[in-house]
Amino acid sequence: GCSLGLLFSWNQLDLVRVPRLIPRLLAGLAICFLSMVGRWVPYDTPFLYQGGLTLISLAAGAVLLEAVCFPGAWLGRVLSSTVLGWMGRISYSLYLWHYPVFTALRVERFAAMGWNPILVHTVRFAAVFAVACLSYYCVEQPFLHLKKRFAG
């Protein structure tokens, strides 16, 4: 993936000769594969650690290649949307806070109280986003502005 990105940034990929259908087909297959893995493959299955994570990375690379090479296509427009851009900006906070929030709001605890699992997951994701936003806007951003002030 990194090598492909470097080749693309150095204009070493001659995508003009590649038929438009090939990246589109690869991206479509990759999206289907990623959707199936996300839906049906448990996180602790041996498949993931016996080449599955490599396949997931390759599939994600195929999706990104389509989006970068053809930014005007639907996939490029979706991936460059304002909402996904904002999620990218707060992604580090999402990464930091998802585990503690998911641990505190375990599905089993709420299932024992009779909560619908879909509602529990919705609450968990909303809580992660709320905590991540607080962290990003109230901690990260003020410190970044402070850094700029002292750096010159």
Side-chain angles (χ1 to χ4, degrees):
C2 183
S3 300
L4 191 60
L6 285 173
L7 290 173
F8 186 79
S9 70
W10 294 334
N11 292 323
Q12 298 298 314
L13 289 177
D14 190 9
L15 294 171
V16 175
R17 285 191 259 162
V18 175
R20 173 73 181 94
L21 183 62
I22 292 174
R24 180 174 280 174
L25 183 64
L26 285 175
L29 290 172
I31 290 170
C32 290
F33 171 73
L34 292 170
S35 299
M36 289 185 332
V37 167
R39 173 64 182 97
W40 288 300
V41 176
Y43 70 92
D44 58 353
T45 185
F47 159 77
L48 291 177
Y49 306 103
Q50 296 170 348
L53 291 174
T54 302
L55 290 174
I56 290 169
S57 298
L58 290 171
V63 171
L64 292 176
L65 182 66
E66 161 73 14
V68 169
C69 293
F70 305 101
W74 70 271
L75 186 58
R77 290 192 313 269
V78 167
L79 292 178
S80 64
S81 71
T82 307
V83 172
L84 290 181
W86 172 75
M87 286 175 64
R89 281 190 295 285
I90 69 165
S91 64
Y92 185 67
S93 291
L94 289 169
Y95 164 73
L96 284 178
W97 289 106
H98 85 278
Y99 187 76
V101 170
F102 277 19
T103 300
L105 302 176
R106 297 187 75 64
V107 175
E108 296 83 17
R109 290 182 189 165
F110 290 92
M113 294 187 290
W115 284 46
N116 181 334
I118 294 174
L119 178 62
V120 175
H121 287 299
T122 303
V123 168
R124 293 171 80 197
F125 277 97
V128 168
F129 272 91
V131 172
C133 285
L134 283 172
S135 175
Y136 179 77
Y137 290 111
C138 297
V139 178
E140 288 180 50
Q141 287 302 301
F143 274 100
L144 287 174
H145 290 300
L146 194 62
K147 177 182 130 182
K148 287 178 189 174
R149 195 165 125 199
F150 285 114

